[in-house]
Amino acid sequence: MSAGYAQDATTADSAQASARKAEAFDVDQYDADDIKISDSNPDMVDGWLYKPDAIPLSQYRRKSQGPDSLIALSNATEIMGDGKSERSYYAAIYSGSTNGVYFQVAAKICDMMRRSYKRHRVHCVPLRSQGVGSNIQLMKEGRVQLAIVQSNNNWEAQAGVNPIPGARSVMSLHDEMGLLIVRQDSEIESIADLRGKRINIGPEGSASRELWLELLGQYDITLDDMETIYSVAQDYNRLGICEDYIDAFGLWIGHPASIIEDSLACDAKVIGMGGPLTQKLVSANHYFFDQVLPARTYDRQEQAINSYGFKASLMAYEVADPYVVYWVTRIIHENIEQLKTEFPTFRSVMADDMYEKGNFLPFHKGAACYWETDLHACDWQQFYNEPDSVSNAANTPYTYMQ
């Protein structure tokens, strides 16, 4: 009996320890002790740590270091209805919180990939994260195939200001326009009117706070010029407006955005961040762009609004499968007009801008192939022109670029 009791107690202690461990687990954290940068580490690919989330092991762990092992990254097969097998692929896009614009954009991209699946056989899934900063950190840890960030992150990475090892451009997406949301009784009509007001500029270290400080500095406005400065998360902005704690908050985001629509219901309005001093800021920073919010994007907004902002930027990790990146790039670009009709955030996307604006890092080889950046951009394709496992003619090459 005593031995049995001791065994039960040990089991109970073990269960409690497991429960405590589960409670402490955070899916957005990575165990740094597992990272071993060496040639013997099976998660090293061409000198990069690569262990992407939500991707089958066979899709990223190479069998050898030779260039022909690219095809070994995509050897997963699935059984079709007729009993034959076809090679399938996987794409995962890190985005943001599940109620945010980035996640909705990634979800819409994956939905379009699903509808066109027979063309490419790439399964696509949007992954949640804590936002841009989290996506960048996850890429540094080798956990990312594709991620949405901002064009200023893209520029800072290539300039060495805030490097992102292994990051490569894929395309620009929607506009991330800066807007002020102000109470109707605040008498705020421009950035210059913020002196003596109560505003929230976001927590220390947040991207929104950095943008706020940069913009206020351009107008020679200091935090001491304000009546009250709040440094809380953006989730509290609506409460601040509705409960009359703040006169204004600012967001650099894709539009329309639900947080703005909800705030407008509390007798508030939207104001642009444009003006001569803002124009100087745009001219001095290549990652900023002049932007216009179309009339009637928001309730009671009858006129177009001039402002500025940046682009949402789709990045890929250097060693991500070029076939996957190629088809994600192609499907988005070829279907952008359809995406515009289905999801308002895409309405700000111009097809040419996807290649021409905001891509400061070198293109990933999959994207470079689609954009035709040079004569050798599609050299990787030769490693995919192997006999198809479905074909009865064993020596018939299977051409993916159709």
Side-chain angles (χ1 to χ4, degrees):
M1 284 291 289
S2 59
Y5 178 80
Q7 185 177 12
D8 290 343
T10 302
T11 302
D13 290 343
S14 177
Q16 292 177 356
S18 298
R20 287 194 296 271
K21 184 176 181 181
E23 290 176 357
F25 180 71
D26 184 345
V27 295
D28 293 320
Q29 296 297 318
Y30 189 76
D31 187 356
D33 292 338
D34 290 340
I35 300 177
K36 297 180 177 61
I37 309 299
S38 69
D39 292 339
S40 61
N41 185 345
D43 293 325
M44 296 297 294
V45 177
D46 292 346
W48 299 102
L49 181 72
Y50 192 41
K51 193 175 182 180
D53 295 332
I55 304 299
L57 181 68
S58 61
Q59 294 265 313
Y60 64 83
R61 183 169 287 180
R62 288 192 178 184
K63 308 303 180 185
S64 71
Q65 293 300 309
D68 58 341
S69 67
L70 276 170
I71 198 66
L73 290 172
S74 307
N75 61 2
T77 60
E78 58 184 284
I79 304 301
M80 309 307 291
D82 57 4
K84 297 179 180 179
S85 62
E86 283 192 0
R87 182 171 288 133
S88 61
Y89 304 81
Y90 293 81
I93 306 174
Y94 263 114
S95 53
S97 63
T98 51
N99 62 348
V101 173
Y102 279 10
F103 186 86
Q104 295 173 42
V105 166
K108 181 55 68 174
I109 290 171
C110 286
D111 180 56
M112 187 59 73
M113 293 293 291
R114 177 189 59 79
R115 284 184 273 171
S116 57
Y117 177 78
K118 290 184 178 180
R119 295 182 64 191
H120 46 71
R121 299 176 313 286
V122 177
H123 300 284
C124 183
V125 59
L127 300 181
R128 74 170 181 87
S129 76
Q130 297 173 4
V132 169
S134 175
N135 294 345
I136 291 172
Q137 182 59 34
L138 289 166
M139 183 170 285
K140 290 178 179 179
E141 294 167 356
R143 294 175 58 183
V144 169
Q145 262 191 327
L146 296 142
I148 302 175
V149 294
Q150 300 167 176
S151 57
N152 58 314
N153 305 126
N154 198 305
W155 182 88
E156 290 173 355
Q158 67 83 29
V161 177
N162 290 305
I164 311 174
R168 296 293 180 265
S169 291
V170 175
M171 63 169 61
S172 289
L173 295 170
H174 58 277
D175 288 347
E176 302 253 66
M177 185 187 303
L179 283 183
L180 284 175
I181 295 81
V182 306
R183 288 179 55 85
Q184 291 278 8
D185 59 6
S186 66
E187 299 182 346
I188 298 172
E189 298 295 338
S190 69
I191 297 293
D193 296 330
L194 291 173
R195 288 184 177 88
K197 304 300 183 181
R198 305 164 299 168
I199 66 172
N200 176 36
I201 63 173
E204 293 281 353
S206 65
S208 61
R209 188 183 184 93
E210 293 179 9
L211 289 164
W212 258 119
L213 295 176
E214 185 176 30
L215 181 62
L216 292 174
Q218 186 69 19
Y219 281 77
D220 198 25
I221 300 175
T222 69
L223 299 187
D224 292 335
D225 293 328
M226 304 298 180
E227 177 183 326
T228 307
I229 289 290
Y230 291 95
S231 302
V232 298
Q234 301 293 348
D235 293 344
Y236 293 98
N237 282 326
R238 179 188 176 279
L239 179 65
I241 288 288
C242 295
E243 299 294 329
D244 198 14
Y245 299 141
I246 61 175
D247 298 306
F249 68 88
L251 285 179
W252 288 259
I253 197 171
H255 301 282
S258 59
I259 187 174
I260 295 178
E261 292 173 333
D262 293 343
S263 299
L264 295 180
C266 296
D267 201 25
K269 61 182 179 180
V270 291
I271 293 176
M273 295 179 174
L277 291 177
T278 300
Q279 186 58 52
K280 289 184 178 181
L281 183 65
V282 172
S283 299
N285 296 278
H286 296 301
Y287 48 79
F288 285 142
F289 305 98
D290 293 318
Q291 296 175 352
V292 177
L293 185 74
R296 293 179 289 282
T297 299
Y298 291 106
D299 187 37
R300 291 176 292 174
Q301 178 229 332
E302 298 303 321
Q303 303 295 325
I305 293 177
N306 294 319
S307 193
Y308 85 110
F310 37 80
K311 295 282 188 180
S313 181
L314 184 62
M315 283 183 177
Y317 198 47
E318 166 70 19
V319 290
D321 191 334
Y323 176 86
V324 170
V325 177
Y326 170 89
W327 274 107
V328 170
T329 308
R330 180 171 179 174
I331 292 302
I332 298 173
H333 187 253
E334 289 184 348
N335 293 278
I336 192 58
E337 295 306 318
Q338 181 65 27
L339 288 168
K340 287 182 182 183
T341 66
E342 297 178 4
F343 189 50
T345 300
F346 282 108
R347 292 174 189 167
S348 64
V349 180
M350 298 293 105
D352 290 344
D353 289 351
M354 300 171 81
Y355 167 76
E356 295 175 355
K357 286 187 175 182
N359 299 298
F360 303 101
L361 286 164
F363 281 106
H364 184 277
K365 48 185 171 285
C369 179
Y370 179 73
W371 298 125
E372 299 179 343
T373 58
D374 60 69
L375 292 175
H376 299 285
C378 296
D379 282 356
W380 56 267
Q381 182 187 345
Q382 62 183 299
F383 301 114
Y384 289 76
N385 290 339
E386 294 197 350
D388 182 26
S389 58
V390 186
S391 176
N392 292 323
N395 295 320
T396 301
Y398 191 91
T399 304
Y400 288 106
M401 304 297 107
Q402 299 178 20

